[in-house]
Amino acid sequence: MDNDAYTNYACPICSGEGIFWHKIDIHELNRCTACGFVYVRNILSVSELANMYEHAYKNNGMYRETIISRGRKLKYRALGRLIQFIARLSKIKLLDIGCGEGRFLEALSHNKHFEAEGIDYSQDTVEYARSKGLKVIQSSLEDIQFPPETFDFMTAFHVIEHVHRLDNTIQEIRRVMKKGGHIWIVVPCISHIKARVAGKKWTYLHPPTHYWFFTTNAMKLLLKKHGFIVKIASCISNRDHLTVLAKKA
Protein backbone atom coordinates (compact mmCIF):
# COMPACT_ATOMS: atom_id res chain seq x y z
CA MET A 1 0.00 0.00 0.00
CA ASP A 2 1.11 3.58 -0.75
CA ASN A 3 0.77 4.57 2.93
CA ASP A 4 3.23 1.95 4.16
CA ALA A 5 6.90 2.42 5.01
CA TYR A 6 9.17 1.69 2.05
CA THR A 7 12.75 1.80 0.76
CA ASN A 8 14.13 3.83 -2.16
CA TYR A 9 16.44 1.52 -4.09
CA ALA A 10 17.08 4.09 -6.84
CA CYS A 11 16.59 7.82 -7.35
CA PRO A 12 12.84 8.51 -7.07
CA ILE A 13 13.11 11.30 -9.65
CA CYS A 14 15.17 9.89 -12.51
CA SER A 15 15.73 6.24 -11.44
CA GLY A 16 19.46 6.87 -11.52
CA GLU A 17 21.91 5.05 -9.28
CA GLY A 18 22.00 6.33 -5.74
CA ILE A 19 25.26 6.07 -3.83
CA PHE A 20 25.71 6.43 -0.09
CA TRP A 21 26.32 10.05 0.90
CA HIS A 22 25.62 10.46 4.63
CA LYS A 23 23.96 8.88 7.64
CA ILE A 24 22.04 10.76 10.34
CA ASP A 25 21.01 8.58 13.29
CA ILE A 26 19.35 5.58 11.60
CA HIS A 27 18.62 7.43 8.34
CA GLU A 28 20.81 6.72 5.34
CA LEU A 29 21.00 9.42 2.67
CA ASN A 30 21.88 8.63 -0.94
CA ARG A 31 22.91 11.00 -3.72
CA CYS A 32 21.87 10.29 -7.31
CA THR A 33 24.85 10.08 -9.63
CA ALA A 34 22.69 11.29 -12.55
CA CYS A 35 20.68 14.30 -11.30
CA GLY A 36 22.35 15.12 -7.96
CA PHE A 37 19.16 14.61 -5.95
CA VAL A 38 19.75 13.60 -2.31
CA TYR A 39 17.13 11.42 -0.64
CA VAL A 40 16.54 9.25 2.40
CA ARG A 41 16.47 5.53 1.62
CA ASN A 42 14.08 4.31 4.31
CA ILE A 43 10.76 6.18 4.48
CA LEU A 44 8.39 5.96 7.44
CA SER A 45 4.71 5.12 7.05
CA VAL A 46 2.12 7.88 6.64
CA SER A 47 0.69 7.18 10.11
CA GLU A 48 4.15 7.57 11.68
CA LEU A 49 4.70 10.85 9.85
CA ALA A 50 1.26 12.18 10.80
CA ASN A 51 1.92 11.42 14.47
CA MET A 52 5.26 13.21 14.29
CA TYR A 53 3.78 16.36 12.76
CA GLU A 54 0.92 16.37 15.22
CA HIS A 55 3.42 17.23 17.95
CA ALA A 56 5.51 19.67 15.91
CA TYR A 57 3.78 22.78 17.31
CA LYS A 58 3.61 21.64 20.92
CA ASN A 59 5.79 22.73 23.83
CA ASN A 60 5.47 20.52 26.93
CA GLY A 61 2.28 19.12 25.44
CA MET A 62 0.72 22.56 24.85
CA TYR A 63 0.13 24.25 21.51
CA ARG A 64 2.33 27.27 20.87
CA GLU A 65 1.43 29.91 18.33
CA THR A 66 4.16 30.91 15.90
CA ILE A 67 4.78 34.67 15.82
CA ILE A 68 5.64 36.14 12.43
CA SER A 69 7.03 39.56 11.68
CA ARG A 70 5.23 42.46 10.05
CA GLY A 71 7.69 42.11 7.17
CA ARG A 72 6.60 38.52 6.57
CA LYS A 73 2.94 39.61 6.54
CA LEU A 74 3.73 42.27 3.95
CA LYS A 75 5.68 39.71 1.92
CA TYR A 76 2.68 37.37 1.86
CA ARG A 77 0.40 40.16 0.68
CA ALA A 78 2.87 41.08 -2.05
CA LEU A 79 3.03 37.43 -3.15
CA GLY A 80 -0.76 37.43 -3.39
CA ARG A 81 -0.61 40.38 -5.78
CA LEU A 82 2.09 38.61 -7.81
CA ILE A 83 -0.06 35.46 -8.03
CA GLN A 84 -2.96 37.63 -9.15
CA PHE A 85 -0.76 39.01 -11.95
CA ILE A 86 0.39 35.50 -12.98
CA ALA A 87 -3.09 33.94 -12.95
CA ARG A 88 -4.78 36.92 -14.65
CA LEU A 89 -8.19 35.95 -13.30
CA SER A 90 -10.82 38.06 -11.57
CA LYS A 91 -11.35 35.28 -9.01
CA ILE A 92 -8.58 32.80 -8.18
CA LYS A 93 -9.40 29.52 -6.46
CA LEU A 94 -6.23 28.73 -4.51
CA LEU A 95 -5.10 25.85 -2.30
CA ASP A 96 -2.22 26.27 0.14
CA ILE A 97 -0.78 22.78 0.77
CA GLY A 98 0.68 22.43 4.27
CA CYS A 99 -0.79 25.77 5.28
CA GLY A 100 0.21 25.50 8.95
CA GLU A 101 -1.47 28.23 10.97
CA GLY A 102 -2.81 29.83 7.79
CA ARG A 103 -0.59 32.91 7.74
CA PHE A 104 -0.53 33.09 3.93
CA LEU A 105 -4.27 32.42 3.74
CA GLU A 106 -4.82 35.21 6.27
CA ALA A 107 -2.89 37.60 4.02
CA LEU A 108 -5.00 36.56 1.02
CA SER A 109 -8.21 37.12 2.98
CA HIS A 110 -7.61 40.86 2.48
CA ASN A 111 -7.62 40.41 -1.32
CA LYS A 112 -11.08 40.15 -2.92
CA HIS A 113 -9.67 38.31 -5.94
CA PHE A 114 -8.98 35.10 -3.98
CA GLU A 115 -11.10 32.19 -2.87
CA ALA A 116 -8.42 30.48 -0.80
CA GLU A 117 -8.33 27.41 1.40
CA GLY A 118 -5.67 25.24 2.99
CA ILE A 119 -4.85 21.73 4.19
CA ASP A 120 -2.47 20.57 6.90
CA TYR A 121 -1.69 17.44 8.93
CA SER A 122 -1.66 19.12 12.34
CA GLN A 123 -4.94 19.37 14.24
CA ASP A 124 -3.58 22.21 16.40
CA THR A 125 -2.61 24.42 13.47
CA VAL A 126 -5.83 23.66 11.64
CA GLU A 127 -7.88 24.66 14.68
CA TYR A 128 -5.84 27.85 15.05
CA ALA A 129 -6.39 28.75 11.39
CA ARG A 130 -10.11 28.08 11.71
CA SER A 131 -10.25 30.36 14.75
CA LYS A 132 -9.12 33.14 12.39
CA GLY A 133 -12.08 32.41 10.12
CA LEU A 134 -10.00 30.61 7.49
CA LYS A 135 -11.13 27.61 5.45
CA VAL A 136 -8.69 24.84 6.40
CA ILE A 137 -9.00 21.04 6.40
CA GLN A 138 -6.93 18.56 8.39
CA SER A 139 -5.74 16.09 5.77
CA SER A 140 -3.05 15.21 3.29
CA LEU A 141 -3.64 16.23 -0.33
CA GLU A 142 -3.88 12.61 -1.43
CA ASP A 143 -6.48 11.65 1.19
CA ILE A 144 -8.86 14.54 0.71
CA GLN A 145 -9.70 13.67 -2.92
CA PHE A 146 -10.71 17.06 -4.33
CA PRO A 147 -12.63 16.85 -7.64
CA PRO A 148 -10.46 17.02 -10.78
CA GLU A 149 -9.41 20.47 -11.99
CA THR A 150 -10.57 22.31 -8.87
CA PHE A 151 -7.84 24.93 -8.40
CA ASP A 152 -6.42 27.76 -10.48
CA PHE A 153 -3.34 28.13 -8.30
CA MET A 154 -1.63 26.02 -5.63
CA THR A 155 1.15 26.88 -3.21
CA ALA A 156 3.51 24.59 -1.28
CA PHE A 157 5.91 26.47 0.98
CA HIS A 158 8.44 24.07 2.52
CA VAL A 159 6.12 21.12 2.05
CA ILE A 160 7.44 18.97 -0.80
CA GLU A 161 10.56 18.00 1.17
CA HIS A 162 8.25 16.37 3.75
CA VAL A 163 5.88 14.29 1.62
CA HIS A 164 5.65 10.51 1.78
CA ARG A 165 5.86 9.74 -1.94
CA LEU A 166 7.02 12.43 -4.36
CA ASP A 167 5.36 11.02 -7.46
CA ASN A 168 2.00 10.56 -5.75
CA THR A 169 1.98 14.12 -4.44
CA ILE A 170 2.93 15.74 -7.77
CA GLN A 171 0.42 13.55 -9.63
CA GLU A 172 -2.33 14.65 -7.24
CA ILE A 173 -1.34 18.30 -7.58
CA ARG A 174 -1.67 17.98 -11.34
CA ARG A 175 -5.00 16.13 -11.10
CA VAL A 176 -6.74 18.76 -8.98
CA MET A 177 -5.26 21.72 -10.88
CA LYS A 178 -7.11 23.30 -13.77
CA LYS A 179 -5.45 23.20 -17.18
CA GLY A 180 -3.17 26.19 -17.42
CA GLY A 181 -3.08 26.50 -13.63
CA HIS A 182 0.10 27.21 -11.68
CA ILE A 183 1.93 25.99 -8.61
CA TRP A 184 4.41 27.99 -6.54
CA ILE A 185 6.87 25.78 -4.64
CA VAL A 186 9.58 26.67 -2.13
CA VAL A 187 11.94 23.96 -0.81
CA PRO A 188 15.43 23.88 0.71
CA CYS A 189 18.04 23.85 -2.09
CA ILE A 190 21.00 21.51 -1.64
CA SER A 191 22.76 23.04 -4.66
CA HIS A 192 22.77 26.52 -3.07
CA ILE A 193 26.19 27.89 -2.16
CA LYS A 194 25.31 27.85 1.57
CA ALA A 195 24.38 24.17 1.37
CA ARG A 196 27.54 23.30 -0.55
CA VAL A 197 29.71 25.13 1.99
CA ALA A 198 27.93 23.50 4.96
CA GLY A 199 28.06 20.04 3.37
CA LYS A 200 26.86 17.33 5.71
CA LYS A 201 26.28 19.91 8.46
CA TRP A 202 23.64 21.76 6.39
CA THR A 203 20.81 22.92 8.64
CA TYR A 204 18.05 21.35 6.53
CA LEU A 205 19.47 17.83 6.78
CA HIS A 206 17.20 16.48 9.49
CA PRO A 207 15.34 13.31 8.53
CA PRO A 208 12.71 12.07 9.07
CA THR A 209 11.08 15.52 8.98
CA HIS A 210 12.89 16.15 5.69
CA TYR A 211 13.26 13.31 3.18
CA TRP A 212 14.02 15.00 -0.15
CA PHE A 213 16.85 17.45 -0.90
CA PHE A 214 16.50 19.13 -4.27
CA THR A 215 18.91 20.58 -6.75
CA THR A 216 17.45 22.96 -9.33
CA ASN A 217 17.89 20.31 -12.01
CA ALA A 218 16.21 17.57 -9.93
CA MET A 219 13.13 19.74 -9.31
CA LYS A 220 12.83 20.55 -13.01
CA LEU A 221 13.04 16.85 -13.88
CA LEU A 222 10.37 15.94 -11.34
CA LEU A 223 7.87 18.53 -12.56
CA LYS A 224 8.50 17.93 -16.26
CA LYS A 225 8.02 14.19 -15.72
CA HIS A 226 4.50 14.94 -14.48
CA GLY A 227 3.46 17.26 -17.26
CA PHE A 228 4.37 20.69 -15.92
CA ILE A 229 6.09 23.51 -17.75
CA VAL A 230 8.71 25.00 -15.42
CA LYS A 231 8.66 28.77 -15.79
CA ILE A 232 10.99 29.69 -12.92
CA ALA A 233 13.39 27.49 -10.92
CA SER A 234 16.02 29.42 -9.03
CA CYS A 235 18.04 29.20 -5.83
CA ILE A 236 19.98 32.37 -6.51
CA SER A 237 19.24 34.36 -3.36
CA ASN A 238 20.68 35.01 0.09
CA ARG A 239 18.54 32.17 1.49
CA ASP A 240 19.30 28.55 0.65
CA HIS A 241 15.86 27.97 -0.84
CA LEU A 242 14.73 26.86 -4.29
CA THR A 243 11.77 28.86 -5.63
CA VAL A 244 9.74 27.30 -8.43
CA LEU A 245 6.82 28.44 -10.57
CA ALA A 246 5.34 25.76 -12.83
CA LYS A 247 2.31 25.61 -15.12
CA LYS A 248 0.11 22.62 -15.91
CA ALA A 249 0.49 21.88 -19.61
Side-chain angles (χ1 to χ4, degrees):
M1 293 178 61
D2 284 346
N3 289 343
D4 292 343
Y6 68 96
T7 300
N8 289 300
Y9 293 103
C11 175
I13 289 182
C14 72
S15 299
E17 180 187 4
I19 60 172
F20 176 79
W21 183 67
H22 189 32
K23 188 172 184 179
I24 301 175
D25 296 326
I26 62 171
H27 307 286
E28 183 177 316
L29 282 69
N30 280 11
R31 183 189 288 275
C32 178
T33 57
C35 70
F37 185 56
V38 174
Y39 57 93
V40 176
R41 276 178 54 85
N42 299 306
I43 308 299
L44 298 177
S45 69
V46 167
S47 60
E48 290 172 304
L49 289 171
N51 182 66
M52 179 177 61
Y53 289 122
E54 181 57 39
H55 299 284
Y57 289 83
K58 284 185 167 65
N59 184 12
N60 294 324
M62 300 294 292
Y63 173 71
R64 63 183 189 278
E65 174 189 353
T66 302
I67 305 300
I68 65 169
S69 66
R70 183 172 181 272
R72 176 63 63 86
K73 293 178 182 179
L74 292 173
K75 180 180 177 181
Y76 282 154
R77 291 195 184 190
L79 179 56
R81 291 192 291 271
L82 177 58
I83 289 172
Q84 186 182 337
F85 173 78
I86 294 166
R88 299 182 185 276
L89 297 169
S90 58
K91 181 67 76 172
I92 302 164
K93 191 167 178 60
L94 179 142
L95 178 69
D96 188 17
I97 307 167
C99 65
E101 295 166 315
R103 302 300 189 174
F104 182 52
L105 296 175
E106 190 174 8
L108 295 183
S109 68
H110 299 280
N111 188 324
K112 66 180 181 179
H113 296 284
F114 285 92
E115 180 185 340
E117 59 188 288
I119 55 174
D120 201 274
Y121 265 140
S122 170
Q123 180 179 352
D124 288 324
T125 57
V126 167
E127 289 178 354
Y128 178 87
R130 288 173 178 169
S131 75
K132 297 288 186 179
L134 303 172
K135 185 178 180 182
V136 177
I137 301 169
Q138 184 185 5
S139 178
S140 69
L141 179 63
E142 292 85 350
D143 286 343
I144 198 169
Q145 288 294 295
F146 287 110
E149 300 192 3
T150 297
F151 298 100
D152 303 298
F153 212 105
M154 300 171 76
T155 52
F157 305 128
H158 291 278
V159 171
I160 304 299
E161 66 269 28
H162 299 268
V163 301
H164 187 245
R165 291 181 183 266
L166 280 174
D167 282 335
N168 288 11
T169 298
I170 303 302
Q171 285 170 4
E172 187 64 6
I173 287 170
R174 192 179 194 282
R175 188 187 71 81
V176 302
M177 182 183 291
K178 295 178 183 178
K179 186 174 181 180
H182 292 80
I183 183 161
W184 188 286
I185 296 171
V186 179
V187 293
C189 182
I190 200 167
S191 54
H192 191 278
I193 183 63
K194 287 185 178 179
R196 296 202 301 270
V197 169
K200 295 172 183 178
K201 295 182 179 180
W202 188 39
T203 186
Y204 287 108
L205 291 176
H206 47 75
T209 52
H210 288 178
Y211 277 138
W212 320 109
F213 307 97
F214 291 91
T215 64
T216 304
N217 181 51
M219 178 61 81
K220 288 179 178 178
L221 288 172
L222 175 65
L223 292 171
K224 289 177 180 178
K225 180 172 73 169
H226 291 285
F228 286 91
I229 299 167
V230 179
K231 303 182 79 172
I232 298 170
S234 174
C235 67
I236 302 174
S237 71
N238 65 317
R239 305 191 71 182
D240 40 355
H241 297 165
L242 171 59
T243 300
V244 183
L245 174 66
K247 180 179 180 179
K248 179 179 175 178

